[in-house]
Amino acid sequence: MKLLASLVLMAAALAAQGKLTPVDQASYPKVIAAHKGKVVLANFWATWCVPCRKEMPQLVQLSHKLAARGFDLVMISADEAEQQGAAAKLLQDNRAEGANYLLKTADNDKFYPAVDAKWSSGELPALFLYDRSGKKVRSFFGETSIADLEAAITKLL
């Protein structure tokens, strides 16, 4: 009976693997609002983005380090829907627990500037830092040092 229960749990885990919650222009503000009371770093990344993959383990480590002080890391893959499984695997391999999403918009060219007027290009990685009230206080585009991110986050904690 224990073997059957274990197999059922493994099957459920495998079925859940590769599924990221879709996020679009309407739901993104709700995603951030769901973390009210915490400092939030929204990380837009993709599996094909070398700097994104390079910084992911460091972001996850930073998240674990600061979580007890009220910090949440929100990971949003900008991959196409067909790459959702690869994106989920990369998140799992890096132990990125918590809020993981897949960007799924009707028009990315409208979504990017809605998040930040300076983000019209959709450049990745893109990170957006929100204070405990949910107000965006800083944006980071392209490769960013983890030390700079940690300093900006720590000021808000």
Side-chain angles (χ1 to χ4, degrees):
M1 194 62 158
K2 283 185 179 180
L3 177 61
L4 180 60
S6 294
L7 289 173
V8 168
L9 286 173
M10 283 176 46
L14 286 172
Q17 185 180 16
K19 295 290 182 187
L20 302 176
T21 305
V23 65
D24 61 13
Q25 196 165 338
S27 60
Y28 179 72
K30 294 173 188 163
V31 166
I32 300 303
H35 297 270
K36 197 168 189 166
K38 302 233 178 159
V39 173
V40 176
L41 183 66
N43 175 32
F44 286 83
W45 65 280
T47 56
W48 49 262
C49 169
V50 174
C52 300
R53 290 193 324 263
K54 181 179 156 193
E55 78 181 5
M56 188 179 292
Q58 297 169 319
L59 287 174
V60 171
Q61 184 178 15
L62 183 62
S63 170
H64 292 172
K65 176 180 174 183
L66 301 176
R69 294 176 58 191
F71 173 71
D72 281 347
L73 176 63
V74 174
M75 305 289 276
I76 303 169
S77 170
D79 284 293
E80 296 295 326
E82 306 83 61
Q83 293 302 114
Q84 185 173 190
K89 182 174 180 346
L90 190 61
L91 288 165
Q92 183 180 23
D93 290 349
N94 282 283
R95 295 180 175 83
E97 297 137 7
N100 296 315
Y101 298 89
L102 179 69
L103 184 60
K104 191 174 182 182
T105 68
D107 186 351
N108 285 347
D109 291 336
K110 289 183 180 171
F111 177 82
Y112 300 140
V115 173
D116 188 306
K118 296 177 185 154
W119 193 37
S120 59
S121 70
E123 175 185 6
L124 296 177
L127 299 108
F128 303 97
L129 183 61
Y130 296 84
D131 67 14
R132 292 181 187 272
S133 70
K135 179 183 175 223
K136 184 173 47 151
V137 294
R138 189 124 180 239
S139 302
F140 303 88
F141 303 106
E143 290 187 60
T144 304
S145 89
I146 294 300
D148 289 348
L149 286 170
E150 184 172 4
I153 293 164
T154 302
K155 284 181 185 176
L156 300 174
L157 292 175

